[in-house]
């Protein structure tokens, strides 16, 4: 595959970015993806500062290829996280869940390439105006926390492409070479893939959760808790408890009380498939086995090139 704006920006072989997912994206997964030619991303959203420091150190030992750190900007220890990133000379940072104006100038001053994750055209243009180097536009097929407008990837990407000048990365509902080709035909320079990389040996999430992803079928995930922060989950007992509470017309405090604390950790990291929050995308219905990250990337690229030759 010829180089494009994203492979040049990140200095990677393939325009495949591994999503920086909580409880799944530790140093093992990030280094495996980077070593296989993609861009591995450490997900700082579920890490205390000292844990992030450890993962960065180990990732540097495991790969000499570029890798990135994803930072949700609502993170309570954001200042400490940013200082670790600068101190460790991380070259690429993905920011999400917040205003890109807040940290982009400082990151750029320190020679860091900044990418911001958005779920709408409006926020894509705001990110561009804030000076980021690229944008991830994520459709609501994606797992985990999501956009309130429920705009699908196939709708969002061409709308953003029409007005955005900086490189565009598509996310949400992509796990195959065909999906990657479709996203790039619609105008993306690259794809960000999350759910497919959860079902790998290198993902730091619990084996029970990985098995649940593989077993999920079409229709087994749903967006919920929009009043708090929209999140796509596998349907389980916890999800059903949320649905039952909605029948009573609950207030914000009641929803927060049911959600409690560390619900995602319980499900995704500790493997509680009953009471845990199981965040994954709709594309889980197309994920049928757990296989190494390098094999995932190889399969995606082989299918991408094969289908491109057939169609073009």
């Amino acid at each position: 595959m010829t180089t494009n704006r994203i492979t040049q920006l990140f200095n990677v072989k393939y325009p495949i970015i591994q999503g920086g997912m909580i409880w799944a994206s530790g140093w093992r997964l990030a280094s495996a993806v980077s070593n296989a030619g993609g861009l591995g991303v450490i997900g700082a959203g579920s890490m205390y500062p000292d844990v992030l420091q450890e993962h960065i150190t180990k990732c540097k030992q495991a790969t000499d290829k570029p890798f990135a750190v994803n930072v949700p900007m609502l993170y309570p220890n954001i200042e400490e996280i940013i200082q670790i990133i600068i101190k460790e000379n991380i070259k690429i940072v993905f920011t999400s869940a917040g205003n890109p104006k807040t940290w982009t100038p400082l990151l750029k001053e320190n020679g860091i390439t900044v990418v911001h994750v958005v779920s709408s055209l409006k926020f894509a243009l705001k990110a561009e105006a804030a000076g980021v180097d690229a944008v991830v536009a994520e459709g609501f097929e994606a797992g985990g926390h999501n956009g309130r407008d429920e705009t699908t990837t196939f709708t969002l990407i061409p709308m953003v492409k029409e007005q955005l000048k900086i490189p565009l990365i598509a996310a949400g509902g992509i796990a195959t070479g065909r999906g990657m080709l479709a996203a790039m035909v619609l105008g993306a320079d690259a794809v960000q893939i999350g759910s497919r990389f959860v079902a790998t040996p290198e993902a730091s999430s619990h084996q029970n959760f990985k098995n649940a992803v593989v077993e999920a079928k079409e229709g087994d995930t749903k967006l919920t808790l929009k009043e708090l922060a929209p999140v796509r989950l596998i349907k389980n007992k916890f999800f059903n408890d949320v649905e039952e509470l909605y029948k009573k017309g609950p207030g914000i405090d009641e929803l927060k009380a049911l959600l409690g604390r560390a619900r995602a950790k319980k499900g995704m990291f500790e493997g509680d498939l009953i009471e845990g929050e199981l965040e994954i995308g709709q594309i889980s219905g197309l994920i049928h086995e757990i296989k190494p990250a390098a094999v995932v990337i190889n399969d995606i690229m082989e299918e991408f090139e094969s289908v491109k030759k057939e169609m073009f």
Side-chain angles (χ1 to χ4, degrees):
M1 178 174 181
T2 56
T3 57
N4 68 12
R5 295 195 296 174
I6 285 295
T7 57
Q8 291 173 339
L9 182 65
F10 297 152
N11 191 27
V12 295
K13 185 177 182 181
Y14 303 129
I16 297 175
I17 293 92
Q18 162 245 315
M21 305 163 287
I22 61 170
W23 305 117
S25 305
W27 69 269
R28 287 185 179 86
L29 179 57
S31 61
V33 170
S34 289
N35 283 333
L39 181 71
V41 182
I42 296 174
S46 52
M47 298 179 181
Y48 290 114
D50 61 326
V51 176
L52 175 62
Q53 176 68 69
E54 179 186 350
H55 279 261
I56 289 173
T57 299
K58 289 182 175 178
C59 200
K60 285 181 175 179
Q61 293 168 349
T63 184
D64 59 356
K65 303 290 195 299
F67 68 90
V69 174
N70 174 270
V71 183
M73 289 185 290
L74 300 179
Y75 190 96
N77 297 94
I78 181 78
E79 292 88 354
E80 196 172 348
I81 292 291
I82 294 294
Q83 289 307 314
I84 289 172
I85 286 169
I86 292 171
K87 174 177 68 75
E88 288 296 324
N89 199 27
I90 298 299
K91 297 298 187 184
I92 307 165
V93 168
F94 284 65
T95 55
S96 59
N99 186 345
K101 287 183 179 179
T102 309
W103 293 104
T104 297
L106 177 62
L107 293 169
K108 297 279 287 180
E109 283 170 20
N110 284 275
I112 297 170
T113 296
V114 181
V115 185
H116 192 62
V117 183
V118 302
S119 60
S120 70
L121 170 61
K122 177 177 74 173
F123 287 114
L125 295 175
K126 284 188 174 183
E128 183 177 55
V132 305
D133 297 284
V135 161
V136 176
E138 183 178 78
F140 101 118
E141 299 96 325
H145 291 290
N146 226 307
R148 296 184 182 279
D149 295 331
E150 299 190 7
T151 307
T152 65
T153 303
F154 257 47
T155 303
L156 181 61
I157 295 306
M159 285 183 176
V160 174
K161 178 65 176 179
E162 189 176 53
Q163 298 192 40
L164 199 74
K165 296 181 179 65
I166 58 177
L168 171 61
I169 301 163
I174 304 166
T176 65
R178 288 180 182 274
M180 177 177 165
L181 181 60
M184 295 181 82
V185 168
L186 288 172
D189 297 286
V191 294
Q192 177 175 286
I193 295 174
S195 298
R196 174 59 268 191
F197 286 116
V198 169
T200 61
E202 297 94 342
S204 50
S205 42
H206 197 281
Q207 188 66 37
N208 290 351
F209 178 51
K210 296 179 188 182
N211 293 340
V213 171
V214 171
E215 292 165 7
K217 303 292 188 294
E218 186 272 327
D220 282 352
T221 72
K222 191 173 180 181
L223 206 66
T224 189
L225 293 172
K226 296 179 187 178
E227 295 82 357
L228 304 181
V231 61
R232 181 172 296 284
L233 306 174
I234 292 178
K235 298 173 184 176
N236 64 348
K237 179 186 177 296
F238 166 66
F239 174 85
N240 292 335
D241 290 345
V242 173
E243 293 290 284
E244 285 301 312
L245 182 58
Y246 270 121
K247 293 178 182 178
K248 301 175 183 177
I252 297 291
D253 290 340
E254 291 175 280
L255 290 170
K256 285 183 178 179
L258 176 58
L259 178 61
R261 289 182 56 81
R263 185 77 73 165
K265 180 182 180 182
K266 180 181 288 189
M268 300 160 70
F269 193 66
E270 297 175 354
D272 187 338
L273 303 184
I274 298 170
E275 295 292 347
E277 197 173 10
L278 308 176
E279 302 181 9
I280 206 72
Q282 285 184 331
I283 201 68
S284 55
L286 205 58
I287 299 169
H288 306 307
E289 62 180 313
I290 295 168
K291 53 187 176 183
V295 176
V296 169
I297 289 179
N298 185 65
D299 289 351
I300 289 172
M301 289 309 304
E302 280 191 357
E303 185 177 88
F304 175 87
E305 294 293 353
S306 174
V307 175
K308 187 171 70 169
K309 287 178 183 175
E310 288 177 14
M311 300 188 68
F312 303 104

